[in-house]
Amino acid sequence: MALTGRTALLAALGSLPVGFFAPSWAGILAVNAPLSLAILCDYALAAPVRKLRFTRSGDTSVRLGDGAEVHLTVTNPSGRRLRAHLRDAWPPSSWLPGTEQATSRHKVTVPAGERRRLTTLLRPTRRGDRQAERITVRSFGPMGLAARQGHHEVPWTVRVLPPFHSRKHLPSRLARLRELDGRTSLLTRGEGTEFDSLRAYVPGDDTRSIDWRATARQSAVAVRTWRPERDRHILVVLDTGRTSAGRVGDVPRLDAAMDATLLLAALASRAGDRLDLLAYDRRTRAQVRGHAAGDVLPALVNTLAPLEPELVETDARGLAAATLKNAPRRSLLVLLTTLDAAPIEEGLFPVLPQLTRRHTVLVASVADPYIEKMSRERGTVDAVYEAAAGTQAQAQRRRTAEQLQRYGVTVVDATPENLAPALADAYLALKAAGRL
């Protein structure tokens, strides 16, 4: 039997010394007997907890940073009115700090044979699947002196999706894509392999684009324009090893890589290219392949949501083998990994020739803005040492990038908020240059 605050106070009064409360034991018994009887009656009249039935409905997915509503329907099949306090428990990361108490606890009254619906508002702070834990019900009697308490398991899962902050960069990149595709008056010249149309020659045009037959039929010099190639294959490879677990600012490196992947996928699908995904460290952690242009972005968001870094060293040879298996013909390989010297020199460099021999390779990495801040520090001895360390780290990353470029690799090294647009720009530049 659960005692309420009021009951506990009365019980405490009953435990006071005899001289304080009454002149004799008979008086104590005379007072406590009716109280005990009232508590027992109140407990007996409380609605049973085990007979309650619960069903859930509501949101099954939500973007990180948004709110999700999960509805809980309480059915009282007993013949007594339910007066209860209910706690709908979820993992701690399902709420903003300090809000769990207000959003997970409910006070409900359900008449006999009826049902009521309660709403729990979740606002998750991490990606992944959030699963409902048990429901705790405390059912009070009509006088509030005693209560029954019990638990119910009512499963429900809410998948927390990546937020896709870089979506704001999509309109400007689509405008540049339309320029490449020749849908605006600004046409690219001498690029791609798919013939688009003819136009008049202007100074600065590549003379190799002059169409001499068309020029002979008219009084002005005509040049050919080209559309960038379409239906090219892009394979994004996410390195989910230990280096992806590091946080840059308040953003895990893996999350920044995911955001860049989503922007690239949205842009590539509008460009008519096909994009697949491979997440790998020592084995394949996630994979998306074979989706149509309209389905690839939802598939990526759903697949990336539960993906977490693994605290293991990435197997570069296994990654290269898995990459070549998933890209059997010429493709653009986008490898989102670190530019730290040791993992690149010991892991990627030995297998890089296998990749560049058959594919166009782009390596993208998350840079730490704090290192740049360190390199500018002056004024104290500690600041000078920090500046030296920051400058050395920057120089090391530049050397690694230059080594990759000697293999013909395109390198993108940008801070978390700039990685997605920088990767999109690199993709558009490769497309404009006819390298896809």
Side-chain angles (χ1 to χ4, degrees):
M1 181 190 307
L3 299 181
T4 65
R6 187 188 314 172
T7 309
L9 175 60
L10 293 173
L13 289 175
S15 64
L16 291 174
V18 174
F20 179 84
F21 190 80
S24 66
W25 283 105
I28 293 295
L29 293 175
V31 171
N32 285 350
L35 177 59
S36 300
L37 182 60
I39 292 174
L40 290 174
C41 290
D42 201 44
Y43 177 79
L45 293 174
V49 174
R50 291 184 179 180
K51 292 184 178 180
L52 297 176
R53 295 199 298 267
F54 296 89
T55 56
R56 289 191 186 273
S57 60
D59 297 329
T60 56
S61 63
V62 62
R63 286 198 179 276
L64 182 63
D66 294 340
E69 290 186 349
V70 178
H71 307 299
L72 182 66
T73 302
V74 185
T75 303
N76 178 17
S78 70
R80 306 170 201 164
R81 175 183 290 267
L82 174 68
R83 307 169 184 84
H85 291 172
L86 182 146
R87 179 175 182 260
D88 188 8
W90 290 74
S93 58
S94 303
W95 332 86
L96 293 175
T99 63
E100 188 269 344
Q101 185 83 5
T103 54
S104 68
R105 299 174 187 269
H106 307 274
K107 187 175 181 179
V108 61
T109 299
V110 185
E114 297 188 14
R115 67 184 65 180
R116 293 291 185 270
R117 191 173 77 166
L118 308 173
T119 300
T120 300
L121 178 62
L122 306 179
R123 193 171 292 274
T125 58
R126 292 179 57 190
R127 285 183 300 101
D129 292 337
R130 298 293 169 269
Q131 297 181 344
E133 298 177 357
R134 64 184 183 181
I135 298 170
T136 303
V137 182
R138 180 172 290 181
S139 173
F140 292 90
M143 292 182 289
L145 298 176
R148 304 170 184 263
Q149 182 167 308
H151 310 286
H152 288 265
E153 302 288 343
V154 186
W156 191 261
T157 301
V158 175
R159 173 156 289 188
V160 187
L161 307 175
F164 196 8
H165 295 305
S166 61
R167 182 185 297 168
K168 61 186 178 184
H169 300 290
L170 186 58
S172 61
R173 271 61 188 181
L174 289 177
R176 292 181 57 186
L177 180 63
R178 285 192 292 270
E179 293 174 4
L180 292 179
D181 280 348
R183 298 182 194 139
T184 67
S185 58
L186 180 60
L187 293 172
T188 56
R189 301 183 294 277
E191 300 163 349
T193 57
E194 182 181 348
F195 174 71
D196 179 32
S197 60
L198 296 171
R199 63 168 176 81
Y201 173 86
V202 294
D205 283 338
D206 189 343
T207 55
R208 292 173 297 179
S209 298
I210 297 176
D211 190 316
W212 296 107
R213 290 187 180 182
T215 299
R217 293 195 297 268
Q218 57 189 30
S219 58
V221 177
V223 296
R224 294 184 293 269
T225 62
W226 308 88
R227 288 184 184 273
E229 297 87 344
R230 285 180 167 271
D231 197 30
R232 297 310 186 203
H233 181 233
I234 303 170
L235 177 62
V236 177
V237 182
L238 285 179
D239 179 357
T240 56
R242 64 170 183 83
T243 57
S244 67
R247 300 181 75 88
V248 178
D250 196 36
V251 180
R253 293 179 186 272
L254 182 59
D255 285 37
M258 288 180 182
D259 196 49
T261 300
L262 294 178
L263 180 62
L264 179 61
L267 188 59
S269 62
R270 298 289 285 272
D273 293 331
R274 296 179 295 105
L275 185 141
D276 294 335
L277 170 79
L278 175 68
Y280 191 94
D281 41 69
R282 289 189 174 276
R283 62 180 179 85
T284 300
R285 301 290 177 178
Q287 194 169 14
V288 174
R289 60 184 303 181
H291 287 272
D295 300 329
V296 65
L297 195 59
L300 282 173
V301 168
N302 191 58
T303 301
L304 292 175
L307 187 63
E308 296 292 344
E310 298 291 331
L311 299 181
V312 297
E313 197 71 38
T314 300
D315 177 11
R317 294 188 181 278
L319 184 145
T323 299
L324 294 174
K325 180 179 179 181
N326 284 271
R329 62 186 182 87
R330 185 167 184 80
S331 307
L332 170 62
L333 303 183
V334 180
L335 176 58
L336 287 146
T337 185
T338 181
L339 276 182
D340 294 343
I344 293 292
E345 293 174 358
E346 297 174 10
L348 185 59
F349 279 155
V351 301
L352 197 55
Q354 304 176 40
L355 303 178
T356 56
R357 189 181 305 118
R358 296 171 53 182
H359 305 288
T360 300
V361 180
L362 189 157
V363 173
S365 180
V366 181
D368 191 345
Y370 183 70
I371 294 179
E372 183 178 353
K373 180 182 176 182
M374 286 173 55
S375 64
R376 297 195 302 265
E377 292 292 331
R378 298 292 187 275
T380 65
V381 174
D382 290 341
V384 171
Y385 276 111
E386 284 194 1
T391 302
Q392 184 180 17
Q394 288 180 321
Q396 189 178 62
R397 290 179 73 89
R398 283 195 296 270
R399 285 195 299 270
T400 303
E402 290 168 358
Q403 287 178 291
L404 288 170
Q405 289 166 352
R406 293 192 193 103
Y407 284 91
V409 175
T410 301
V411 179
V412 174
D413 187 20
T415 57
E417 62 273 12
N418 295 323
L419 180 64
L423 180 58
D425 290 341
Y427 162 72
L428 291 173
L430 290 172
K431 199 168 184 66
R435 293 184 57 190
L436 298 189

